[in-house]
């Protein structure tokens, strides 16, 4: 499989739907498969431009339970041991129905909830956020905002 993957909803259902469902609900074989595909892609894209030592793999914010993204991240860090690591922390859960909020309401609700675990960025590094799905983009936008505020270019 090549990255990035852009598919229509119908195309996704036909080609990856069953596998994605199995992945989302706890299939470690598929976690390893997708982590290794992602590692291959990261090597392909990043090694010609400076190498894996310039990369920080960023674990997404998960409070108490692992998610598909955190499981993929955990395996990815064993495959790409030469990369530095860090993680986003989240101070709590939202009150209210996130799905019913507008983009602006989501941004306001998440403001100040995310922080970088290490407390400081590694300048001159490329941060790669490992995420399993993007619905509204609110979490990765907040993550990006935290990194930009800390000086990542």
């Amino acid at each position: 499989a090549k990255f990035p993957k852009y598919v229509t909803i119908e195309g996704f259902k036909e080609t990856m739907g069953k596998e994605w469902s199995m992945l989302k609900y706890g299939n470690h074989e598929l976690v390893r498969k997708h982590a290794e595909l992602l590692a291959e892609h990261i090597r392909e894209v990043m090694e010609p431009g400076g190498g894996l030592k310039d990369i920080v793999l960023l674990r997404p914010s998960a409070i108490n339970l692992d998610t598909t993204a955190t499981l993929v991240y955990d395996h990815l860090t064993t495959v790409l041991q030469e990369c530095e690591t860090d993680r986003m922390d989240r101070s709590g859960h939202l009150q209210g129905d996130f799905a019913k909020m507008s983009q602006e309401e989501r941004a306001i609700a998440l403001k100040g909830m995310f922080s970088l675990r290490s407390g400081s960025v590694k300048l001159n590094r490329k941060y790669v956020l490992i995420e399993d799905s993007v619905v509204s983009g609110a979490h990765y936008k907040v993550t990006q905002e935290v990194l930009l505020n800390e000086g990542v270019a």
Side-chain angles (χ1 to χ4, degrees):
K2 289 292 181 185
F3 287 89
K5 279 193 166 285
Y6 299 104
V7 294
T8 64
I9 291 172
E10 289 308 312
F12 177 80
K13 287 178 185 176
E14 291 172 15
T15 61
M16 294 181 67
K18 181 178 179 183
E19 188 171 284
W20 183 254
S21 181
M22 290 169 63
L23 179 64
K24 288 291 286 182
Y25 295 103
N27 185 307
H28 285 281
E29 182 179 313
L30 289 174
V31 165
R32 284 189 300 277
K33 172 187 171 183
H34 286 280
E36 288 165 14
L37 285 170
L38 184 54
E40 180 183 313
H41 176 68
I42 289 171
R43 281 192 177 103
E44 196 175 288
V45 170
M46 302 308 283
E47 281 187 332
L52 298 175
K53 293 190 186 311
D54 291 338
I55 295 174
V56 178
L57 298 173
L58 190 58
R59 190 178 198 267
S61 63
I63 298 177
N64 294 319
L65 295 174
D66 281 324
T67 65
T68 301
T70 61
L71 294 171
V72 167
Y73 170 90
D74 290 344
H75 187 67
L76 188 62
T77 60
T78 65
V79 176
L80 297 177
Q81 292 181 15
E82 55 269 65
C83 295
E84 292 190 56
T85 61
D86 206 339
R87 69 172 290 162
M88 294 302 295
D89 282 331
R90 183 174 175 170
S91 61
H93 286 288
L94 295 177
Q95 300 302 315
D97 190 343
F98 197 70
K100 292 180 181 177
M101 293 180 186
S102 69
Q103 292 283 355
E104 185 178 340
E105 290 169 326
R106 289 175 181 164
I108 291 168
L110 290 173
K111 190 158 188 72
M113 289 185 90
F114 286 53
S115 62
L116 199 56
R117 165 74 52 98
S118 67
S120 63
V121 299
K122 294 158 181 81
L123 297 177
N124 303 316
R125 298 288 195 278
K126 295 174 179 87
Y127 280 74
V128 178
L129 173 64
I130 308 305
E131 190 57 272
D132 56 1
S133 64
V134 176
V135 178
S136 70
H139 291 128
Y140 88 79
K141 288 175 186 171
V142 172
T143 298
Q144 182 180 35
E145 185 178 296
V146 167
L147 293 173
L148 289 171
N149 288 339
E150 291 289 329
V152 172

